[in-house]
Amino acid sequence: MENVEAFFNAYDVVKRPWSIISPNMQFLNRKAEVVKTWNMELQMTSWTTLYYRLRANFDGLQSKYCPELPSMTPEKREGTLADGVGKAKYDQGKTVTDVKETNGTMTVLFSSMDGGGSIEADLVIAADGPSSTIRQIVQPEVQRKYIGYVAWRGTVVEKEVSEATKGVFRERLTYYRMSGSHILLYLIPGENGSLEPGERVLNYVWYTCESEEKLDQILTNANGHRHRVTLPAGEIREEVWAKQVERAVNDLPTPFAELVQKTTQPFVQAITDVTSGPPSFFNGKLIFVGDALAAFRPHVACSTNQAALHALLFEKVMTGAMTLQEWEDQSLQYAQVTSLLSVVLGNMNQSDFWSLPASVFWFGRAWIMQWIRKRWLGVSAEAPHSLARRIPTSVSSLMKFR
């Protein structure tokens, strides 16, 4: 979260609230009674809200999320680095087929409906997610591995929820655990980024253990197409979702069950692990950022925070304040510790007891090594220290984006 805040403090001139504050985290029992509370303030938002805010600042895109753009006068820009005069072009319908360096210039080859082509560039930034096509080109051995459970996701507009259920959740990040499963819920901005009560959205993530055979059934849509990792909203087969709703009624506290029953566009993703590869290739002319560099299990909710870190640090590379090697080192430090922490939290909530001690050991070892690097070698280890502050409180989520 700290990197996202730092990024917006530096670049945002819209200066309107973009998140909902949860005053604490609460845990329910089967009767929907609060049995434990952790007093910590959390910020919750949606990726769509952030996306349109970023575009408003970068290239002045006007949208329902940012209907009135501030003029980019020197007075408006004071204290920020935004200028609103960037150029964003989304060249859709193209699939990267190869990347290579020729005489110091990068060439990106792609296929398309009209036959394909190529683009030359001085710098290629691969920001194509955890299933990065470009990563597969340069490192085909890096593969996402299913680790035994899935996340069912859904949203319900606040005004469509009963008063009793709203009274239980009370704008709190709410959590319920049971054997081999857990579910959490938090509020996010509603349509067009609205933060008004009633227009906001209750967003939940329900983790359940599923066999490989069951996973095939879950990720196969009504047309018989088996998706690799995520089955998009609207494509879950009726009989599959009906069983999940029945499961919710039988196993979840009533407020959570109500949300599952009222979900009209659920989607589901397989939870995977993937080993982080090198952050750059071709002498720094190809770099990976965000989930394409390192993907975490959702429990740490750090994907957007990582992307913000990469952007903030790479700006220093571009201005000469940091070397590419320093950028790589700090990016990998963050990726290593965060990835291991996500495994700890996943094992704590979804796996058998015996898998937990090993994951705690490797996380602790990595954190200590990075602390030593900072204390005695002077190498920045900001990321592990910020994560350490989260460990007592981050059972499932400090911040969620979707």
Side-chain angles (χ1 to χ4, degrees), residues 26-30 32-36 168-169 174-177 253 255-256:
Q26 64 180 12
F27 299 82
L28 306 183
N29 62 15
R30 182 66 177 82
E33 300 167 331
V34 177
V35 294
K36 181 166 55 176
V168 171
F169 293 134
T174 304
Y175 188 91
Y176 174 69
R177 292 179 62 187
F256 279 114

Side-chain angles (χ1 to χ4, degrees), residues 140-258:
E141 70 277 9
V142 175
Q143 298 289 332
R144 300 178 71 173
K145 180 182 178 181
Y146 177 59
I147 44 83
Y149 59 98
V150 303
W152 305 84
R153 296 175 178 266
T155 59
V156 181
V157 178
E158 192 174 19
K159 64 184 178 183
E160 298 175 359
V161 177
S162 68
E163 291 299 322
T165 290
K166 285 189 284 189
V168 171
F169 293 134
R170 303 174 300 146
E171 299 185 343
R172 269 70 170 173
L173 174 62
T174 304
Y175 188 91
Y176 174 69
R177 292 179 62 187
M178 52 187 167
S179 178
S181 178
H182 67 289
I183 186 170
L184 60 101
L185 172 138
Y186 46 92
L187 272 174
I188 59 175
E191 186 177 5
N192 302 325
S194 175
L195 301 178
E196 292 297 319
E199 297 179 3
R200 301 173 299 184
V201 171
L202 285 84
N203 185 81
Y204 66 84
V205 188
W206 182 11
Y207 297 97
T208 63
C209 294
E210 309 292 350
S211 66
E212 292 275 2
E213 181 180 358
K214 187 66 177 296
L215 181 67
D216 287 338
Q217 299 175 15
I218 292 172
L219 294 182
T220 300
N221 66 16
N223 296 323
H225 175 68
R226 203 281 199 187
H227 289 256
R228 289 189 301 168
V229 177
T230 301
L231 189 63
E235 292 199 28
I236 296 180
R237 287 177 292 145
E238 290 185 7
E239 64 270 23
V240 171
W241 184 240
K243 290 180 180 179
Q244 199 63 20
V245 170
E246 181 181 2
R247 194 174 180 181
V249 173
N250 292 334
D251 297 342
L252 297 179
T254 300
F256 279 114
E258 178 185 339

Side-chain angles (χ1 to χ4, degrees), residues 380-398:
S380 174
E382 177 181 355
H385 277 278
S386 65
L387 283 168
R389 292 194 293 270
R390 301 181 188 184
I391 296 171
T393 54
S394 180
V395 171
S396 279
S397 171
L398 284 180

Side-chain angles (χ1 to χ4, degrees), residues 35-52:
V35 294
K36 181 166 55 176
T37 300
W38 285 346
N39 292 320
M40 52 183 298
E41 188 175 279
L42 311 168
Q43 282 185 278
M44 298 167 289
T45 189
S46 67
W47 168 244
T48 308
T49 300
L50 292 184
Y51 169 79
Y52 284 105

Side-chain angles (χ1 to χ4, degrees), residues 64-204:
K64 292 181 179 179
Y65 286 82
C66 295
E68 297 180 4
L69 301 179
S71 60
M72 293 297 182
T73 62
E75 292 75 19
K76 290 287 186 180
R77 292 199 303 268
E78 184 177 358
T80 78
L81 299 174
D83 58 19
V85 296
K87 293 182 179 179
K89 178 184 179 183
Y90 286 80
D91 208 0
Q92 299 179 335
K94 294 178 171 58
T95 301
V96 175
T97 57
D98 199 7
V99 289
K100 56 186 179 181
E101 181 186 14
T102 305
N103 298 324
T105 300
M106 292 300 300
T107 301
V108 180
L109 288 82
F110 60 86
S111 62
S112 64
M113 294 296 291
D114 58 5
S118 64
I119 299 173
E120 290 188 347
D122 296 319
L123 173 67
V124 176
I125 300 176
D128 52 344
S131 296
S132 171
T133 297
I134 298 177
R135 176 71 73 182
Q136 289 300 299
I137 291 171
V138 297
Q139 274 193 300
E141 70 277 9
V142 175
Q143 298 289 332
R144 300 178 71 173
K145 180 182 178 181
Y146 177 59
I147 44 83
Y149 59 98
V150 303
W152 305 84
R153 296 175 178 266
T155 59
V156 181
V157 178
E158 192 174 19
K159 64 184 178 183
E160 298 175 359
V161 177
S162 68
E163 291 299 322
T165 290
K166 285 189 284 189
V168 171
F169 293 134
R170 303 174 300 146
E171 299 185 343
R172 269 70 170 173
L173 174 62
T174 304
Y175 188 91
Y176 174 69
R177 292 179 62 187
M178 52 187 167
S179 178
S181 178
H182 67 289
I183 186 170
L184 60 101
L185 172 138
Y186 46 92
L187 272 174
I188 59 175
E191 186 177 5
N192 302 325
S194 175
L195 301 178
E196 292 297 319
E199 297 179 3
R200 301 173 299 184
V201 171
L202 285 84
N203 185 81
Y204 66 84

